[in-house]
Amino acid sequence: MKRKEAFQQIIGYKFNNISYLTTALTHSSYLNESGNKNHSKCNERMEFLGDSILGLCVAKYLFKEYPDYPEGKMSKLRALVVCENTLSDIAEKFGLGDYIYMSNGEELTGGRKRKSILSDAMESVIAAVFLDSSFEVAESFVLSFIIPYIRDAVSGKLINSDFKTALQEKCQALGKKVSYELTGETGPDHMKMFESAVYIDGVLIAKGEGKSKRESEQNAAGKCLKEL
């Protein structure tokens, strides 16, 4: 309980139902490790919800604060802000990695610093705040840390290292279509590795590996950009 109390102080939000925070901080590997019977859910479903809430908060802020921006420009700015790199950076500032429940195997392989795990957990925390309160409260929570990133994106200071977005934009400019395919999974559930392939107009260009499907696609896209 001390772990969760400390994290609540860091983020400046006190949960009414602490089970939401428990789930948000639980990585799937933790459930697969023997002896961890007090946690029945991991944060994968919350990650899905948190991603949508974050996207809506950023879209609403851009819509209200930059009334002259067209839809296309707002979409690009939102994609620049709502990405793994931004979320993992925010998570690191909160020290979120120290509070995640994960398996010993995941921790030994650097899980507490892995961008994909940190960004997913950050999205899950956003969802937990929403489920525990309201959209308005969750929005205030999100804006308390996301506004500087939005302003950096608007000013051009936020560098896009979201390789998938960069590749998509490059291919759109060239009139080409990008697609991804999961080509392999190896290892036990708590230490699974994924391999994804990226295709341009149906032609295989590169493959990438990662600890999650998202990470493997990002790495494949990064290699593809170098090829192009």
Side-chain angles (χ1 to χ4, degrees), residues 183-214:
T183 53
E185 295 182 30
T186 58
D189 288 342
H190 67 283
M191 294 180 65
K192 198 174 280 294
M193 286 293 294
F194 296 83
E195 181 188 69
S196 291
V198 58
Y199 298 83
I200 306 296
D201 285 345
V203 178
L204 174 63
I205 304 297
K207 290 185 177 181
E209 293 185 340
K211 290 284 188 177
S212 66
K213 181 172 178 285
R214 177 189 295 182

Side-chain angles (χ1 to χ4, degrees), residues 167-178 200-201:
L167 179 60
Q168 182 68 33
E169 291 178 351
K170 186 175 183 67
C171 287
Q172 282 180 344
L174 296 172
K176 297 181 180 294
K177 182 180 179 181
V178 184
I200 306 296
D201 285 345

Side-chain angles (χ1 to χ4, degrees), residues 47-61 78 81-83 86-87 90 119 122-123 126-127 135 138 142-143 145-146 150:
E47 170 203 338
F48 165 79
L49 179 60
D51 178 68
S52 297
I53 295 168
L54 175 61
L56 177 56
C57 290
V58 173
K60 181 180 175 183
Y61 184 87
R78 181 179 59 186
V81 174
V82 183
C83 69
T86 297
L87 284 162
I90 294 165
S119 62
M122 194 64 232
E123 289 175 335
I126 292 170
F135 175 75
V142 168
L143 293 180
F145 55 75
I146 205 68
I150 297 175

Side-chain angles (χ1 to χ4, degrees), residues 89-221:
D89 188 59
I90 294 165
E92 287 179 358
K93 289 178 178 178
F94 281 136
L96 178 53
D98 295 334
Y99 299 92
I100 299 174
Y101 297 96
M102 62 178 64
S103 69
N104 290 327
E106 192 68 60
E107 184 169 6
L108 289 173
T109 57
R112 295 199 183 278
K113 295 185 180 297
R114 188 167 296 120
K115 285 187 175 184
S116 59
I117 291 178
L118 290 174
S119 62
D120 290 350
M122 194 64 232
E123 289 175 335
S124 300
V125 169
I126 292 170
V129 172
F130 165 74
L131 291 169
D132 190 64
S133 54
S134 65
F135 175 75
E136 289 72 24
V137 173
E139 182 180 28
S140 293
F141 173 62
V142 168
L143 293 180
S144 70
F145 55 75
I146 205 68
I147 288 177
Y149 292 89
I150 297 175
R151 290 175 176 168
D152 281 350
V154 170
S155 66
K157 294 179 182 177
L158 190 63
I159 299 173
N160 187 357
S161 51
D162 181 349
F163 297 128
K164 287 184 67 176
T165 299
L167 179 60
Q168 182 68 33
E169 291 178 351
K170 186 175 183 67
C171 287
Q172 282 180 344
L174 296 172
K176 297 181 180 294
K177 182 180 179 181
V178 184
S179 60
Y180 296 87
E181 179 185 3
L182 182 64
T183 53
E185 295 182 30
T186 58
D189 288 342
H190 67 283
M191 294 180 65
K192 198 174 280 294
M193 286 293 294
F194 296 83
E195 181 188 69
S196 291
V198 58
Y199 298 83
I200 306 296
D201 285 345
V203 178
L204 174 63
I205 304 297
K207 290 185 177 181
E209 293 185 340
K211 290 284 188 177
S212 66
K213 181 172 178 285
R214 177 189 295 182
E215 188 177 274
S216 68
E217 289 179 347
Q218 282 284 0
N219 290 333

